[in-house]
Amino acid sequence: MSGRTAPPGPVAVVGAGPVGLTAALVLARSGVPVTVLESRNELATESRASTFHPATLDLLDELGVAAALRRRGRTVDRLQWRDLDGGVHAELNYSLLAGHTRHPYRLHVEQARLTPLLLDALTATGLADVRFGATVTGAAETGGGVRLRTEEAAGRATVGHHPYVLAADGSRSRLREIAGLPGTAEEYPDYALRVVTDSPLDELVPGLAPLAYVRDPRGSFSALGMPDHWRLIFRIRRGTPRAEVLAPEAVRARVERALPGAAGRAVRITDAHTYRLARFLLPRYRAGRVLFAGDAAHLTSTAGGLNMNCGLHDAVETGRALATVLQTGTGDEAPLDTALGRRRCVVETAVLPRSEARTAGLDSPAELLARIADLRRTAADPRAATDYLLKASLLDVAPRPLKGDAHADLVSQAHR
Ligand SMILES: Cc1cc2nc3c(=O)[nH]c(=O)nc-3n(C[C@H](O)[C@H](O)[C@H](O)COP(=O)(O)OP(=O)(O)OC[C@H]3O[C@@H](n4cnc5c(N)ncnc54)[C@H](O)[C@@H]3O)c2cc1C
């Protein structure tokens, strides 16, 4: 890559996952043209994150996609902790968050239902060039931007010149590697087993809430009610062979132990798979004019469903700040650095500790009983319960939706 430098083109967003598409939409809605480069030939359809917290729904509402997402999902009005015999330790109702959010509930829906909505909204702006089958393979900083090398169909390579690049290229981020930033995640001592059933568990298990944490010295797991199925998430000690855990008879036995009230046989298991749980936090969220967001910047355990939500918040806050920098045109990058610093701080001080606290002490009966007693006290005190839900929803650390004069708010938000 040599010769004369072309004038900077649109901002490049690498990755058309939920984070990249959200950031691109925020930029395009602010009048900033974007090029989205995605190595796959189409949007991902795999089953991954499924929880959208109230703060995230507020932000997606502002982008005009929350209502359609809600129609595709299952709203969850309460969190429930229970034991294996069906006794309820505690329940917290999301209505406590009315006044703090326009969406006092969480939504269970596959992240793959969000990305097509974002893509449609992005296309409708007329300011986005979304290229599938385009893998970014190189990046080099030039005076006023970044030269990006992309391999497209049939090995054709193109070079683009962009004032900034937003790397939302996921947990194995190529941009991170190119920038020479560290990328090794630390695995937790457990991995996750996800069992899927299309049986109506709320009909088979009396009183089961659409989000239930079973906390019992005899065994703990989580149950999530989706629009058309349920997911049971178990933690398995690392080192336990996955083939053993995934053997059909082992999965069935585990489900029967977990749901004794459901008369085991009535539960039809449609899928079971495992995934690793790891933590990672990038030491800084920019390398020159390459900015990082979402899984490229951080990973947490899936407990609490925080990682994707935090990534979507990164996309909004970083996208707004970048739009401000580009629109003011003074070269002052302070709003961007403030936003990136804040996003990293949110992961370090809120996302990682909160998600780790969700599963702490599950293997120690004494600790577990103490935590259950704590939860009961929290549920009995509306202020403590509200505070718990605010934190569990990241409402206390999320970017706020904009109101009124959009430009003034963009600037003030970015400077906060
Ligand atoms: C099994 C599983 C369960 C999960 N459950 C939860 C959950 O319950 N709650 C939660 O909050 N999170 C969960 N997560 C995490 C969640 O899925 C991620 O946080 C989320 O997908 C992050 O979005 P992203 O856009 O940053 O990255 P991704 O969704 O990974 O998107 C990155 C995109 O970049 C593209 N790309 C990569 N490299 C390049 C390149 N060089 N050039 C061009 N394109 C490139 C990829 O093809 C991909 O489309 C789960 C993850 C897994 C794997």
Side-chain angles (χ1 to χ4, degrees):
M1 293 203 283
S2 62
R4 282 181 44 207
T5 303
V11 168
V13 174
V14 185
V19 174
L21 288 175
T22 300
L25 184 55
V26 169
L27 286 161
R29 285 274 172 80
S30 306
V32 176
V34 284
T35 298
V36 179
L37 301 162
E38 167 56 51
S39 54
R40 294 170 186 249
N41 292 323
E42 54 189 21
L43 293 175
T45 55
E46 298 102 279
S47 171
R48 289 178 66 179
S50 59
T51 294
F52 290 82
H53 288 295
T56 309
L57 294 170
D58 287 346
L59 296 170
L60 293 176
D61 198 16
E62 184 169 85
L63 293 172
V65 296
L69 189 66
R70 186 179 175 183
R71 285 194 292 279
R72 291 159 175 75
R74 175 171 186 172
T75 54
V76 175
D77 60 351
R78 66 204 153 112
L79 294 186
Q80 181 182 71
W81 287 265
R82 49 195 285 137
D83 64 25
L84 277 174
D85 303 316
V88 174
H89 302 306
E91 270 193 4
L92 300 183
N93 200 301
Y94 274 102
S95 61
L96 288 166
L97 292 184
H100 296 275
T101 167
R102 277 174 288 137
H103 302 85
Y105 51 84
R106 64 186 245 174
L107 189 69
H108 285 179
V109 61
E110 299 276 4
Q111 71 182 59
R113 305 303 298 267
L114 171 66
T115 42
L117 298 173
L118 292 169
L119 182 59
D120 286 351
L122 183 60
T123 307
T125 64
L127 285 176
D129 174 16
V130 183
R131 293 195 218 149
F132 286 97
T135 300
V136 173
T137 55
E141 183 116 7
T142 62
V146 183
R147 252 185 305 188
L148 217 51
R149 185 177 191 279
T150 304
E151 282 178 20
E152 299 194 41
R156 191 169 66 93
T158 57
V159 174
H161 187 235
H162 307 275
Y164 288 92
V165 172
L166 186 78
D169 53 343
S171 61
R172 294 192 165 79
S173 172
R174 182 82 171 261
L175 267 294
R176 207 170 53 201
E177 198 185 310
I178 293 168
L181 295 173
T184 309
E186 183 191 338
E187 283 203 35
Y188 285 108
D190 295 335
Y191 63 90
L193 163 68
R194 181 154 87 177
V195 180
V196 178
T197 168
D198 60 3
S199 299
L201 289 194
D202 34 3
E203 289 171 23
L204 299 173
V205 181
L208 185 70
L211 178 61
Y213 298 109
V214 173
R215 297 292 180 254
D216 192 302
R218 292 167 289 171
S220 294
F221 67 97
S222 312
L224 277 80
M226 299 294 294
D228 56 359
H229 67 270
W230 281 77
R231 297 174 175 185
L232 306 178
I233 319 283
F234 301 88
R235 281 166 187 266
I236 311 290
R237 189 81 355 205
R238 216 169 65 210
T240 316
R242 291 182 188 228
E244 202 176 278
V245 170
L246 288 171
E249 58 282 8
V251 173
R252 165 136 313 274
R254 192 182 290 278
V255 170
E256 283 177 11
R257 280 197 305 276
L259 301 172
R265 283 183 191 290
V267 177
R268 201 171 80 103
I269 295 164
T270 53
D271 186 28
H273 54 264
T274 59
Y275 53 90
R276 74 170 188 153
L277 299 171
R279 86 186 320 263
F280 171 72
L281 179 57
L282 203 55
R284 53 196 161 86
Y285 276 20
R286 71 180 286 184
R289 286 172 171 258
V290 181
L291 320 173
F292 292 86
D295 277 18
H298 52 82
L299 285 180
T300 67
S301 133
T302 52
L306 300 181
N307 204 51
M308 178 195 64
N309 283 267
C310 178
L312 295 174
H313 302 179
D314 295 345
V316 170
E317 191 160 357
T318 307
R320 284 177 184 169
L322 182 54
T324 301
V325 167
L326 290 167
Q327 282 164 344
T328 50
T330 60
D332 175 14
E333 293 187 317
L336 188 55
D337 286 327
T338 303
L340 294 170
R342 218 183 81 82
R343 293 316 310 159
R344 188 181 181 284
C345 178
V346 164
V347 176
E348 192 168 38
T349 60
V351 173
L352 282 166
R354 289 177 195 176
S355 107
E356 286 169 2
R358 278 300 174 102
T359 51
L362 290 189
D363 301 325
S364 152
E367 222 177 302
L368 185 57
L369 293 174
R371 290 176 58 87
I372 291 168
D374 262 358
L375 284 166
R376 286 208 173 102
R377 277 192 292 276
T378 301
D381 172 356
R383 282 177 73 126
T386 306
D387 188 56
Y388 184 101
L389 288 174
L390 283 170
K391 290 184 170 148
S393 306
L394 298 178
L395 258 167
D396 58 331
V397 291
R400 301 306 299 163
L402 303 175
K403 292 185 208 88
D405 179 329
H407 182 69
D409 277 331
L410 272 171
V411 174
S412 68
Q413 288 270 343
H415 277 90
R416 209 194 287 157

